[in-house]
Amino acid sequence: QVQLVESGGGLVQAGGSLRLSCAASGRIFSDYYVGWFRQAPGKEREFVAAIRWSGEITYYLDSVKGRFTISRDNAKNTVYLQMNSLKPEDTAVYSCAVERGNRYREARSYDYWGQGTQVTVSS
């Protein structure tokens, strides 16, 4: 069993930055993926980024490449999503999740989810 708690969301102006944290408890193996997803009102949940727990592999949604960076601190059992140059279209509830296979882009493949944190980017 894995429990996830997100933090770090908030209100920021366009062009600003936020860092989201995903604190994990429970057993996470090196070949698991931790992903960040977002869901805006009236839209489908969208893959944003993923990192293999071992840390050597990362993936990003094309529209966030170069602006967002996913990383992890194994000692703290925490995954971060550094978001720079934020745009109003980044506004959504961001959630982290753990996936035990390799279908890291598919929300339905994830087994454990956090409660989500709101990110609002004003223009």
Side-chain angles (χ1 to χ4, degrees):
Q1 191 76 8
V2 176
Q3 291 80 41
L4 304 169
V5 178
E6 302 97 334
S7 61
L11 173 65
V12 64
Q13 289 187 333
S17 299
L18 283 173
R19 188 177 79 158
L20 305 183
S21 299
C22 173
S25 59
R27 189 73 180 274
I28 301 180
F29 293 93
S30 60
D31 58 348
Y32 288 5
Y33 281 92
V34 178
W36 283 98
F37 288 79
R38 65 187 181 187
Q39 189 166 21
K43 294 188 176 182
E44 296 287 320
R45 182 176 284 174
E46 179 180 49
F47 168 79
V48 176
I51 186 168
R52 200 166 184 179
W53 189 248
S54 57
E56 79 278 9
I57 300 175
T58 58
Y59 300 96
Y60 295 93
L61 176 70
D62 283 347
S63 62
V64 308
K65 285 181 181 177
R67 300 190 298 124
F68 291 11
T69 302
I70 189 170
S71 63
R72 94 278 181 259
D73 183 334
N74 282 1
K76 295 183 178 180
N77 259 23
T78 300
V79 171
Y80 303 99
L81 185 68
Q82 177 67 43
M83 306 186 295
N84 298 329
S85 302
L86 282 161
K87 304 175 181 180
E89 51 264 43
D90 294 318
T91 295
V93 174
Y94 284 70
S95 300
C96 65
V98 170
E99 197 260 349
R100 298 181 288 179
N102 61 358
R103 297 183 178 182
Y104 48 86
R105 292 186 183 272
E106 301 176 21
R108 62 184 179 181
S109 297
Y110 283 74
D111 303 292
Y112 306 103
W113 289 85
Q115 81 289 351
T117 185
Q118 177 71 46
V119 171
T120 303
V121 184
S122 62
S123 57

